[in-house]
Every structure is written in structure tokens, then in C-alpha cells.
């Protein structure tokens, strides 16, 4: 990728506080240490509701702890559609109990298993590697041999890690006819390394939770060390590692196998941002559906895991009812792209992703602005998981006083005050010309909704990192901010803010670096904002 083959020692790595916060966050979610796989307990007898706990031999004979829900009163000569649920990263095998019971009550055989390397399942954490894909097929084998499952009606679903494994399995096992991948990823590298910038809180959270609840493989430990240590010598290896674990790599196989794929995610997902999921969705050629809602990673599905009413899980069952049971419930006739606005809470339907924000308005980035690096200006994307969850449940997004942002460390460009509400939908794009005093650097762009008193509410953000540039020589920058659905009220304005430090990301600005943003007459700088038609 044209990088100098050396590590840049001036780059900042995540602080101990970031990693500690990740570990504390893991504990807060009910995680517990699991240094070794516990010995298998004798499986209890099936209850009246058809629930039993079993050991399933995975790839290479590795034991996967699982639970099986069978429709009550199932007879030996009756077959049912089957749904396989791999658990999320660091979650125990009881994660899906509430939803599994609901599905079984409506006529599905449901097998939920603990992904290898976590809790009491054997093996090591392979991060959706070949062993995990093979495990999914082994679980399907077991399900067909040991339950009244119909081999022609097999589906897979999961949240987060379970979503990724389900999509990967759909490209490797033709028996998978339908998938519901919730809060997952299409491209792992574009998720936690977007803009060529390490998403440090996301990676530290995953690494910390994995260490608390499972047994990370040596490969995973080394990859995390290189990733969080900004080891450019290993960048190509890390990208190859991520590509092997990305459903986008196997997209041709997924399309060829023809599984019906439903994707669900949150606008503020700090682990797997919405852009990469939308791009993956657009490249699917079979039956497909895309749903985005307010929140952060897995928060859109969380209440459903507790057995409470939940729109994402309702859509999931409707998806399986149609594509596994053949129910004429109309889900195939609805607009396939369903978005829930962060501002109104209402749903909007679109025929495809490119129709979401058909109108674009540009905010000019006129003149020349120079900022100094290495200082957090006060503009930032918040805290992974927490900040966007607060907005989802309490309507409190990350904020900043735009007039008070120190211009020494921050570039600010604002629109006019809008006479009518502006319904931002889709992906804002930044285009500018940048000159750095150093060969490497990082910038973070933020789009704020600024009220009359100057208080800015975060609409979107994204990081951008460069290496190997000639100091003092201008170069073009094109950056997509994370997709969103947000209404800017009449009387407000939009502001693009750029600085160089954000706790969500690793920054690569050597000490004393300065960044200059210019707008040449032949190539003006701007941020292009996608708007829904009024």
C-alpha cells in the first residue's frame, strides 16, 4: 500500500485507561473470566417445552456448548424449519433464550451454540476464522441428525459476532437459505480500520471482553498487539487477516448460494459503522433487506434479548417466516431499505440505499485554515457504546460548544441558518486539499447540528489517517462520514469541525505537526450533505 516499512514511534497508542474502561465495560455487561473450558455437565432431560442443553462436536471435534428448542409436542414424523444462532462475542450460550423460545413457539427448531473459545465451549477465539465457519456447518449437521429439522429450510441469525459468522456461513454452506445478521459486519477492516485509522476503543473493548470470557488464540493476540501498537510493518498482514474474516470477501459465493439476507444495524455503531453494512447490502443480488435504527453496537436488539418487544427481532421472525416457512406476510413486498430517524423515531422506506439521500447541499470550506495537532479540541465522537446508547434511550447525543472550540486546534466551517428543517439522510462526504508539515498524520471530521446559542449536537464523524506524504506538498482528501438519519431544525445550521485527536481513535500526528486545509480555485473544498427530498 505504498507504506514505509517501519513503525512510527511517535504515534500514540491507547492509554491504559482506555483498555481498563473496556474491561470494566465488559464486566458491566455481566462477563466473567473463563480461562479454561469447564468440563461438560450431564445434559438435563428435555422439559415439557422441549428445551435441552447439549454438547455439539465442532470442527476438529471441539466441543461447542449449545441449547436446543423444539416446538412443543413435536412428533418424530414431523419436520420444522431450523434456525442456528451463534452467540455474540463474549456472550454465554443463554444469550438468545428469550428469542429462541419465541421462535420455537411459532414452529421452529432453534439451536443456539456458544462460539468456540468462549465460556465453556472448547478451542480458542479464532475471530470468525475458518474454524468458526466450519463450526457453523458442523452445528447444522448435528441439527439435521438430532432434531426434527427440515434440511431444505435452514436459517442462521445472530447479533454482532453471531451476525458475522452467519453471513460467512451463507457463503460456505449452501444449506443456509436465510440469514438475519444484526449489528454485524460486511468488511471487518473497513469497520475497525476505516480511514486507515485504528478504532482503538472498539478494538480494546473486543480484546478486553475476549480475555475476560474466553481464550484468545495466539494469532488474535498478536494481531491486536500489532493493531493497537500501530505497527505498519504488519499492516498488510492485518488487512489479510481481516479480509479472511469479512463476508465481503466471499460475496460472490453468498450471491451464488442465494440465501435471503436481512441486515440490521444502528446508526451510531462504534464497532461496525453503518457505511460498510450499506455497501455490502448494495452488492447483494438475492432477496435482501437493510434496517438502520438509532443506537450503538447491539443496542437496537438488546431489549429483544430480554424478551421485551423489539422491532429488530420482529423483522427477523417475519423474514424467516417468509423465506423458511413460505408465509405470505408481505415482507418481500415492502421497501427493502427501512430507516428509523434519530430525530423523529419514525420509519422511512426506500427501494435501495442510493435512494436514501438523493439531494445534496454543499457547505463550502473556503479560504485556508491551519490547525496544530496533538490536542483534543473538545470535539469528539463520545465513548464507545455509551454515548450513542444515551442518545437512543435519553436523546442525549455528544455535544460541543462550537463557538468555544479553540481555533488553534480546530477548523470550523458553517452553513447558513436554514429556513426549514434539513433531513440529513445517508453519507456526508468531505473533499478538501490538505498540506501537512509531517509525512504522517490524522484528522477527525465532525458534522454538528448547531443551535442558536452555538451548542452543537453530533450528527456524524469519521477519522482519516495518511502516511508517506511529502511535508509541505498539498494532496487531496476524500472522506465519507458515517451514515446517519438526522433532522436539523429550522433556524439551526450545520457545522463541519475538524481536529486531530479523538479518544475513539488512535492518532498518528508526530509532535509539533500542523495541518493546513485549503480550497484551490480549480478544486474547491466542501462537505456534501445528503438530504431527503422535502
Amino acid at each position: 500500500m505504498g507504506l514505509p516499512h517501519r513503525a512510527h514511534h511517535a504515534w500514540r497508542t491507547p492509554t491504559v485507561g482506555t483498555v481498563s474502561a473496556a474491561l470494566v465495560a465488559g464486566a458491566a455487561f455481566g462477563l466473567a473470566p473463563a480461562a479454561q473450558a469447564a468440563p461438560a455437565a450431564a445434559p438435563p432431560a428435555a422439559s415439557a417445552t422441549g428445551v435441552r442443553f447439549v454438547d455439539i462436536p465442532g470442527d476438529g471435534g471441539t466441543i461447542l456448548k449449545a441449547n436446543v428448542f423444539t416446538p412443543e409436542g413435536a412428533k418424530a414424523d414431523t419436520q420444522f424449519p431450523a434456525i442456528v444462532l451463534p452467540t455474540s462475542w463474549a456472550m454465554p450460550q443463554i444469550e438468545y433464550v428469550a428469542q429462541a423460545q419465541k421462535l420455537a413457539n411459532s414452529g421452529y427448531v432453534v439451536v443456539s451454540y456458544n462460539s468456540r473459545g468462549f465460556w465453556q465451549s472448547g478451542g480458542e477465539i479464532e475471530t470468525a476464522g475458518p474454524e468458526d465457519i466450519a463450526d457453523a456447518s458442523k452445528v447444522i449437521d448435528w441439527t439435521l441428525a438430532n432434531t426434527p429439522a427440515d434440511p431444505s429450510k435452514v436459517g442462521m441469525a445472530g447479533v454482532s459476532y453471531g451476525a458475522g459468522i452467519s453471513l460467512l456461513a451463507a457463503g460456505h454452506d449452501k444449506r443456509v437459505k436465510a440469514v438475519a445478521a444484526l449489528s454485524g459486519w460486511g468488511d471487518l477492516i473497513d469497520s475497525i480500520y476505516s480511514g486507515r485509522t485504528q478504532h482503538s476503543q472498539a478494538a480494546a473493548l473486543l480484546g478486553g471482553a475476549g480475555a475476560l470470557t474466553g481464550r484468545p488464540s495466539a494469532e488474535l493476540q498478536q494481531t491486536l498487539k500489532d493493531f493497537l501498537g500501530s505497527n505498519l510493518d504488519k499492516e498488510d498482514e492485518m488487512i489479510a487477516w481481516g479480509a479472511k474474516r469479512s463476508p465481503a470477501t466471499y460475496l460472490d459465493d453468498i450471491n451464488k448460494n442465494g440465501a435471503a439476507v436481512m441486515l440490521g444495524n444502528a446508526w451510531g455503531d462504534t464497532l461496525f459503522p453503518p457505511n460498510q453494512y450499506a455497501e455490502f447490502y448494495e452488492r447483494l443480488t438475492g432477496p435482501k433487506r437493510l434496517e438502520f435504527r438509532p443506537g450503538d453496537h447491539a443496542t437496537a436488539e438488546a431489549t429483544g434479548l430480554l424478551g421485551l418487544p423489539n422491532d429488530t427481532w420482529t423483522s427477523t421472525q417475519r423474514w424467516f417466516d417468509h423465506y423458511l416457512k413460505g408465509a405470505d406476510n408481505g415482507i418481500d413486498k415492502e421497501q427493502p431499505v427501512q430507516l428509523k430517524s434519530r430525530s423523529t423515531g419514525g420509519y422511512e422506506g426506500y427501494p435501495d440505499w442510493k435512494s436514501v439521500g438523493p439531494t445534496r447541499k454543499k457547505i463550502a470550506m473556503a479560504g485556508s485554515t491551519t490547525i496544530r495537532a496533538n490536542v483534543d479540541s473538545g470535539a469528539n465522537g463520545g465513548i464507545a457504546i455509551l454515548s450513542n446508547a444515551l442518545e437512543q434511550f435519553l436523546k442525549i447525543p455528544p455535544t460541543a460548544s462550537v463557538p468555544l472550540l479553540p481555533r488553534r486546534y480546530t477548523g470550523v466551517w458553517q452553513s447558513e441558518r436554514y429556513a426549514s428543517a434539513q433531513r440529513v439522510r445517508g453519507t456526508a462526504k468531505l473533499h478538501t486539499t490538505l498540506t501537512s508539515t509531517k509525512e504522517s498524520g490524522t484528522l477527525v471530521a465532525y458534522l454538528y447540528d448547531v443551535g442558536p446559542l452555538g451548542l452543537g449536537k453530533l450528527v456524524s464523524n469519521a477519522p482519516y489517517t495518511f502516511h508517506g506524504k511529502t511535508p509541505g506538498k498539498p494532496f487531496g482528501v476524500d472522506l465519507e462520514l458515517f451514515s446517519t438519519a438526522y433532522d436539523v431544525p429550522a433556524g439551526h445550521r450545520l457545522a463541519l469541525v475538524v481536529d486531530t485527536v479523538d479518544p475513539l481513535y488512535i492518532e498518528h500526528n508526530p509532535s509539533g505537526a500542523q495541518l493546513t486545509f485549503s480550497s484551490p480555485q480549480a478544486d474547491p473544498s466542501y462537505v456534501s450533505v445528503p438530504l431527503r427530498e422535502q
Side-chain angles (χ1 to χ4, degrees):
M1 298 181 65
L3 298 179
H5 294 288
R6 60 186 176 83
H8 199 302
H9 298 295
W11 298 335
R12 286 158 177 74
T13 56
T15 63
V16 173
T18 297
V19 178
S20 298
L23 298 177
V24 171
F29 280 104
L31 308 180
Q36 299 292 332
S47 70
T49 56
V51 183
R52 56 194 173 110
F53 290 84
V54 300
D55 290 352
I56 298 178
D59 184 50
T62 297
I63 295 300
L64 306 174
K65 295 294 183 177
N67 53 65
V68 182
F69 288 75
T70 305
E72 188 172 357
K75 298 179 180 179
D77 59 350
T78 303
Q79 290 187 325
F80 300 89
I83 298 175
V84 174
L85 303 169
T87 55
S88 303
W89 186 272
M91 292 298 286
Q93 62 163 306
I94 61 171
E95 176 185 11
Y96 301 114
V97 163
Q99 289 301 321
Q101 184 65 71
K102 287 185 178 182
L103 288 166
N105 290 344
S106 61
Y108 292 92
V109 169
V110 185
V111 178
S112 172
Y113 70 94
N114 226 122
S115 303
R116 71 164 50 222
F118 288 105
W119 295 88
Q120 292 183 323
S121 283
E124 297 180 329
I125 303 171
E126 303 294 345
T127 324
E131 298 88 347
D132 294 294
I133 300 171
D135 282 346
S137 289
K138 291 290 187 181
V139 172
I140 293 173
D141 291 343
W142 185 94
T143 300
L144 297 179
N146 294 276
T147 73
D150 185 336
S152 67
K153 299 178 179 178
V154 176
M156 289 192 67
V159 176
S160 185
Y161 196 46
I165 292 174
S166 295
L167 285 173
L168 289 163
H172 289 79
D173 195 318
K174 295 180 180 179
R175 295 173 297 181
V176 179
K177 303 301 182 186
V179 170
L182 314 176
S183 290
W185 71 92
D187 187 322
L188 188 57
I189 293 300
D190 198 33
S191 294
I192 61 174
Y193 194 47
S194 71
R196 209 176 174 187
T197 308
Q198 295 96 326
H199 296 210
S200 55
Q201 286 189 16
L205 178 61
L206 292 171
L212 279 171
T213 63
R215 300 162 300 285
S217 67
E219 183 182 28
L220 172 57
Q221 293 181 59
Q222 186 61 50
T223 299
L224 278 174
K225 180 179 179 181
D226 292 334
F227 183 79
L228 294 174
S230 302
N231 186 356
L232 270 189
D233 289 342
K234 296 295 183 70
E235 184 180 42
D236 289 342
E237 291 180 31
M238 289 186 284
I239 289 174
W241 178 87
K244 185 186 293 186
R245 292 157 170 82
S246 295
T249 300
Y250 311 99
L251 188 68
D252 289 344
D253 295 318
I254 294 172
N255 287 333
K256 182 179 178 180
N257 290 346
V261 177
M262 173 186 144
L263 306 175
N265 204 359
W267 292 119
D269 194 321
T270 43
L271 271 63
F272 306 128
N275 299 44
Q276 51 87 31
Y277 234 22
E279 181 179 346
F280 179 77
Y281 168 84
E282 284 288 270
R283 296 172 61 197
L284 291 168
T285 59
K288 59 183 180 178
R289 184 176 177 92
L290 177 66
E291 300 184 352
F292 284 138
R293 296 179 173 85
D296 206 307
H297 185 67
T299 63
E301 302 86 23
T303 56
L305 295 175
L306 300 175
L308 301 174
N310 181 276
D311 289 355
T312 305
W313 285 104
T314 297
S315 290
T316 296
Q317 181 159 344
R318 293 181 64 221
W319 190 252
F320 287 132
D321 284 351
H322 181 74
Y323 287 102
L324 294 183
K325 285 185 175 181
D328 186 14
N329 57 16
I331 197 168
D332 59 319
K333 300 179 179 66
E334 296 171 0
Q335 296 276 40
V337 175
Q338 294 286 322
L339 311 181
K340 188 175 185 181
S341 168
R342 291 165 53 196
S343 302
T344 67
Y347 282 96
E348 304 166 0
Y350 300 86
D352 49 38
W353 177 249
K354 63 179 177 288
S355 300
V356 169
T359 302
R360 285 191 170 268
K361 285 188 178 180
K362 291 183 178 179
I363 301 172
M365 298 172 61
S368 178
T369 300
T370 298
I371 63 174
R372 289 169 170 78
N374 311 121
V375 173
D376 188 343
S377 69
N380 63 67
I383 301 171
I385 309 296
L386 178 61
S387 294
N388 291 312
L390 284 174
E391 182 188 16
Q392 176 187 358
F393 295 111
L394 300 178
K395 303 299 182 183
I396 305 174
T399 59
S401 177
V402 174
L404 296 181
L405 291 173
R407 297 313 196 253
R408 183 182 180 92
Y409 306 108
T410 318
V412 179
W413 299 266
Q414 298 191 75
S415 72
E416 74 283 2
R417 293 190 186 279
Y418 296 116
S420 60
Q422 305 293 297
R423 295 185 289 182
V424 180
R425 299 291 185 276
T427 309
K429 299 179 180 180
L430 167 66
H431 173 75
T432 191
T433 296
L434 180 63
T435 305
S436 175
T437 58
K438 306 291 183 179
E439 59 93 19
S440 293
T442 296
L443 63 92
V444 184
Y446 310 89
L447 191 64
Y448 282 103
D449 161 22
V450 184
L453 298 180
L455 182 65
K457 296 181 179 180
L458 187 65
V459 177
S460 184
N461 78 100
Y464 178 90
T465 293
F466 59 90
H467 299 295
K469 299 297 183 181
T470 301
K473 183 177 180 179
F475 60 94
V477 171
D478 288 285
L479 174 63
E480 289 190 349
L481 277 64
F482 300 138
S483 304
T484 194
Y486 182 97
D487 292 358
V488 180
H492 288 213
R493 65 178 76 202
L494 282 169
L496 177 75
V497 174
V498 178
D499 71 2
T500 61
V501 177
D502 190 304
L504 286 173
Y505 314 112
I506 293 178
E507 53 103 348
H508 299 255
N509 296 294
S511 180
Q514 296 184 32
L515 304 180
T516 298
F517 301 87
S518 58
S519 184
Q521 186 174 359
D523 185 20
S525 296
Y526 59 84
V527 57
S528 173
V529 181
L531 301 174
R532 183 185 179 191
E533 293 180 352
Q534 301 297 325

